[in-house]
Amino acid sequence: MSQGELAKKAGIHLQSLGKIELGKTARLSTKTTTGLSRALQIPQEYLEAVCKGVSVASVQQMKICPHCWVPGTEAEAIWLNPRSKYCFACGMKLSARCLSCNGPILSLKFRFCPLCGVPYKAPEKLARMSVK
Ligand SMILES: [Zn+2]
Ligand SMILES: [Zn+2]
């Protein structure tokens, strides 16, 4: 996708998109972030962090229980706790990565991994196997 296409899709000016990319925009208007996140299908928080120069890794503390998580819903707060390694409900190892290709989980709105096409949610059989 070219910059022009992206700007058009996000409903913002090409010029402001250029500024964002150069890190010249410290603060984005809500309209811009909403438009961009919709166009790119990435979370708004992510965009805001990129603009503030915060490393993406520190924002994306996305961790889910591949067994209990329901696609399209937010992660349970307790899964996101940095000290949580296993699911409080079923004991499965929490994961921030695709179970199949180990690529990062890009959005909890996605049902499938865009990199390998395997569902983020573990199939029932696999989930039962990995529970201790
Ligand atoms: Zn669980
Ligand atoms: Zn994958």
Side-chain angles (χ1 to χ4, degrees):
M1 187 160 34
S2 80
Q3 272 203 8
E5 281 166 350
L6 174 62
K8 209 169 144 196
K9 214 171 166 189
I12 56 170
H13 292 292
L14 182 56
Q15 211 183 357
S16 37
L17 185 64
K19 272 192 218 155
I20 297 166
E21 280 199 339
L22 295 172
K24 279 186 188 160
T25 311
R27 206 188 283 164
L28 294 178
S29 69
T30 318
K31 188 173 160 263
T32 311
T33 41
T34 318
L36 267 180
S37 70
R38 214 181 301 128
L40 294 170
Q41 301 211 318
I42 52 178
Q44 265 182 54
E45 300 77 39
Y46 181 96
L47 275 173
E48 276 158 20
V50 171
C51 291
K52 282 183 208 138
V54 182
S55 93
V56 169
S58 66
V59 190
Q60 282 207 310
Q61 293 167 327
M62 216 190 278
K63 243 184 335 175
I64 56 157
C65 168
H67 177 225
C68 301
W69 171 68
V70 178
T73 62
E74 294 297 314
E76 295 278 347
I78 194 160
W79 295 338
L80 301 174
N81 185 316
R83 290 164 72 190
S84 292
K85 289 195 176 63
Y86 298 91
C87 175
F88 66 97
C90 74
M92 188 170 181
K93 198 167 192 296
L94 299 177
S95 177
R97 301 189 160 267
C98 168
L99 293 174
S100 173
C101 72
N102 215 29
I105 293 177
L106 296 172
S107 168
L108 293 182
K109 296 204 175 79
F110 294 172
R111 299 176 81 91
F112 300 94
C113 172
L115 306 172
C116 70
V118 167
Y120 281 147
K121 193 173 161 71
E124 194 62 32
K125 215 166 80 189
L126 179 77
R128 229 180 283 126
M129 256 159 44
S130 53
V131 170
K132 280 179 273 178

mmCIF file with all atom_site columns, all heavy atoms in Angstrom, residues 98 100-103 113 115-118 120, ligand 2:
data_model
loop_
_atom_site.group_PDB
_atom_site.id
_atom_site.type_symbol
_atom_site.label_atom_id
_atom_site.label_alt_id
_atom_site.label_comp_id
_atom_site.label_asym_id
_atom_site.label_entity_id
_atom_site.label_seq_id
_atom_site.pdbx_PDB_ins_code
_atom_site.Cartn_x
_atom_site.Cartn_y
_atom_site.Cartn_z
_atom_site.occupancy
_atom_site.B_iso_or_equiv
_atom_site.pdbx_formal_charge
_atom_site.auth_seq_id
_atom_site.auth_comp_id
_atom_site.auth_asym_id
_atom_site.auth_atom_id
_atom_site.pdbx_PDB_model_num
ATOM   1  N  N   . CYS A 1 98  ? 1.944  -16.452 18.006 1.00 0.00 ? 98  CYS A N   1
ATOM   2  C  CA  . CYS A 1 98  ? 1.180  -17.466 17.300 1.00 0.00 ? 98  CYS A CA  1
ATOM   3  C  C   . CYS A 1 98  ? 1.717  -18.835 17.679 1.00 0.00 ? 98  CYS A C   1
ATOM   4  O  O   . CYS A 1 98  ? 2.923  -19.058 17.678 1.00 0.00 ? 98  CYS A O   1
ATOM   5  C  CB  . CYS A 1 98  ? 1.319  -17.225 15.801 1.00 0.00 ? 98  CYS A CB  1
ATOM   6  S  SG  . CYS A 1 98  ? 0.707  -18.580 14.808 1.00 0.00 ? 98  CYS A SG  1
ATOM   7  N  N   . SER A 1 100 ? 1.536  -21.460 16.109 1.00 0.00 ? 100 SER A N   1
ATOM   8  C  CA  . SER A 1 100 ? 2.014  -22.233 14.978 1.00 0.00 ? 100 SER A CA  1
ATOM   9  C  C   . SER A 1 100 ? 3.341  -21.712 14.418 1.00 0.00 ? 100 SER A C   1
ATOM   10 O  O   . SER A 1 100 ? 4.300  -22.451 14.280 1.00 0.00 ? 100 SER A O   1
ATOM   11 C  CB  . SER A 1 100 ? 0.936  -22.228 13.898 1.00 0.00 ? 100 SER A CB  1
ATOM   12 O  OG  . SER A 1 100 ? 1.421  -22.815 12.740 1.00 0.00 ? 100 SER A OG  1
ATOM   13 N  N   . CYS A 1 101 ? 3.405  -20.410 14.118 1.00 0.00 ? 101 CYS A N   1
ATOM   14 C  CA  . CYS A 1 101 ? 4.619  -19.898 13.465 1.00 0.00 ? 101 CYS A CA  1
ATOM   15 C  C   . CYS A 1 101 ? 5.461  -19.034 14.390 1.00 0.00 ? 101 CYS A C   1
ATOM   16 O  O   . CYS A 1 101 ? 6.510  -18.553 14.010 1.00 0.00 ? 101 CYS A O   1
ATOM   17 C  CB  . CYS A 1 101 ? 4.252  -19.107 12.212 1.00 0.00 ? 101 CYS A CB  1
ATOM   18 S  SG  . CYS A 1 101 ? 3.498  -17.514 12.577 1.00 0.00 ? 101 CYS A SG  1
ATOM   19 N  N   . ASN A 1 102 ? 4.952  -18.815 15.620 1.00 0.00 ? 102 ASN A N   1
ATOM   20 C  CA  . ASN A 1 102 ? 5.691  -18.021 16.595 1.00 0.00 ? 102 ASN A CA  1
ATOM   21 C  C   . ASN A 1 102 ? 5.788  -16.535 16.238 1.00 0.00 ? 102 ASN A C   1
ATOM   22 O  O   . ASN A 1 102 ? 6.559  -15.797 16.819 1.00 0.00 ? 102 ASN A O   1
ATOM   23 C  CB  . ASN A 1 102 ? 7.094  -18.617 16.793 1.00 0.00 ? 102 ASN A CB  1
ATOM   24 C  CG  . ASN A 1 102 ? 7.551  -18.465 18.233 1.00 0.00 ? 102 ASN A CG  1
ATOM   25 O  OD1 . ASN A 1 102 ? 6.706  -18.447 19.130 1.00 0.00 ? 102 ASN A OD1 1
ATOM   26 N  ND2 . ASN A 1 102 ? 8.826  -18.344 18.460 1.00 0.00 ? 102 ASN A ND2 1
ATOM   27 N  N   . GLY A 1 103 ? 5.000  -16.114 15.286 1.00 0.00 ? 103 GLY A N   1
ATOM   28 C  CA  . GLY A 1 103 ? 4.939  -14.692 14.953 1.00 0.00 ? 103 GLY A CA  1
ATOM   29 C  C   . GLY A 1 103 ? 4.159  -13.968 16.037 1.00 0.00 ? 103 GLY A C   1
ATOM   30 O  O   . GLY A 1 103 ? 3.366  -14.582 16.741 1.00 0.00 ? 103 GLY A O   1
ATOM   31 N  N   . CYS A 1 113 ? -3.886 -15.959 12.485 1.00 0.00 ? 113 CYS A N   1
ATOM   32 C  CA  . CYS A 1 113 ? -2.571 -15.356 12.327 1.00 0.00 ? 113 CYS A CA  1
ATOM   33 C  C   . CYS A 1 113 ? -2.398 -14.935 10.873 1.00 0.00 ? 113 CYS A C   1
ATOM   34 O  O   . CYS A 1 113 ? -2.540 -15.762 9.971  1.00 0.00 ? 113 CYS A O   1
ATOM   35 C  CB  . CYS A 1 113 ? -1.516 -16.392 12.705 1.00 0.00 ? 113 CYS A CB  1
ATOM   36 S  SG  . CYS A 1 113 ? 0.145  -15.851 12.345 1.00 0.00 ? 113 CYS A SG  1
ATOM   37 N  N   . LEU A 1 115 ? 0.191  -14.307 9.398  1.00 0.00 ? 115 LEU A N   1
ATOM   38 C  CA  . LEU A 1 115 ? 1.453  -14.814 8.856  1.00 0.00 ? 115 LEU A CA  1
ATOM   39 C  C   . LEU A 1 115 ? 1.356  -16.261 8.396  1.00 0.00 ? 115 LEU A C   1
ATOM   40 O  O   . LEU A 1 115 ? 1.994  -16.662 7.438  1.00 0.00 ? 115 LEU A O   1
ATOM   41 C  CB  . LEU A 1 115 ? 2.568  -14.682 9.901  1.00 0.00 ? 115 LEU A CB  1
ATOM   42 C  CG  . LEU A 1 115 ? 2.748  -13.267 10.471 1.00 0.00 ? 115 LEU A CG  1
ATOM   43 C  CD1 . LEU A 1 115 ? 3.734  -13.278 11.611 1.00 0.00 ? 115 LEU A CD1 1
ATOM   44 C  CD2 . LEU A 1 115 ? 3.182  -12.302 9.387  1.00 0.00 ? 115 LEU A CD2 1
ATOM   45 N  N   . CYS A 1 116 ? 0.561  -17.050 9.105  1.00 0.00 ? 116 CYS A N   1
ATOM   46 C  CA  . CYS A 1 116 ? 0.504  -18.461 8.720  1.00 0.00 ? 116 CYS A CA  1
ATOM   47 C  C   . CYS A 1 116 ? -0.924 -18.979 8.549  1.00 0.00 ? 116 CYS A C   1
ATOM   48 O  O   . CYS A 1 116 ? -1.121 -20.094 8.092  1.00 0.00 ? 116 CYS A O   1
ATOM   49 C  CB  . CYS A 1 116 ? 1.267  -19.325 9.726  1.00 0.00 ? 116 CYS A CB  1
ATOM   50 S  SG  . CYS A 1 116 ? 0.437  -19.430 11.314 1.00 0.00 ? 116 CYS A SG  1
ATOM   51 N  N   . GLY A 1 117 ? -1.902 -18.175 8.956  1.00 0.00 ? 117 GLY A N   1
ATOM   52 C  CA  . GLY A 1 117 ? -3.286 -18.573 8.705  1.00 0.00 ? 117 GLY A CA  1
ATOM   53 C  C   . GLY A 1 117 ? -3.878 -19.522 9.716  1.00 0.00 ? 117 GLY A C   1
ATOM   54 O  O   . GLY A 1 117 ? -5.016 -19.966 9.574  1.00 0.00 ? 117 GLY A O   1
ATOM   55 N  N   . VAL A 1 118 ? -3.124 -19.838 10.754 1.00 0.00 ? 118 VAL A N   1
ATOM   56 C  CA  . VAL A 1 118 ? -3.628 -20.739 11.788 1.00 0.00 ? 118 VAL A CA  1
ATOM   57 C  C   . VAL A 1 118 ? -4.371 -19.905 12.834 1.00 0.00 ? 118 VAL A C   1
ATOM   58 O  O   . VAL A 1 118 ? -3.936 -18.804 13.153 1.00 0.00 ? 118 VAL A O   1
ATOM   59 C  CB  . VAL A 1 118 ? -2.438 -21.518 12.422 1.00 0.00 ? 118 VAL A CB  1
ATOM   60 C  CG1 . VAL A 1 118 ? -2.841 -22.222 13.707 1.00 0.00 ? 118 VAL A CG1 1
ATOM   61 C  CG2 . VAL A 1 118 ? -1.879 -22.517 11.420 1.00 0.00 ? 118 VAL A CG2 1
ATOM   62 N  N   . TYR A 1 120 ? -5.443 -18.127 16.164 1.00 0.00 ? 120 TYR A N   1
ATOM   63 C  CA  . TYR A 1 120 ? -4.693 -17.809 17.376 1.00 0.00 ? 120 TYR A CA  1
ATOM   64 C  C   . TYR A 1 120 ? -5.175 -18.652 18.548 1.00 0.00 ? 120 TYR A C   1
ATOM   65 O  O   . TYR A 1 120 ? -4.419 -19.015 19.423 1.00 0.00 ? 120 TYR A O   1
ATOM   66 C  CB  . TYR A 1 120 ? -4.892 -16.332 17.733 1.00 0.00 ? 120 TYR A CB  1
ATOM   67 C  CG  . TYR A 1 120 ? -4.061 -15.368 16.934 1.00 0.00 ? 120 TYR A CG  1
ATOM   68 C  CD1 . TYR A 1 120 ? -4.550 -14.104 16.632 1.00 0.00 ? 120 TYR A CD1 1
ATOM   69 C  CD2 . TYR A 1 120 ? -2.783 -15.707 16.492 1.00 0.00 ? 120 TYR A CD2 1
ATOM   70 C  CE1 . TYR A 1 120 ? -3.783 -13.196 15.919 1.00 0.00 ? 120 TYR A CE1 1
ATOM   71 C  CE2 . TYR A 1 120 ? -2.010 -14.813 15.774 1.00 0.00 ? 120 TYR A CE2 1
ATOM   72 C  CZ  . TYR A 1 120 ? -2.514 -13.545 15.492 1.00 0.00 ? 120 TYR A CZ  1
ATOM   73 O  OH  . TYR A 1 120 ? -1.771 -12.654 14.792 1.00 0.00 ? 120 TYR A OH  1
HETATM 74 ZN ZN  . ZN  B 2 .   ? 1.208  -17.877 12.736 1.00 0.00 ? 2   ZN  B ZN  1
#
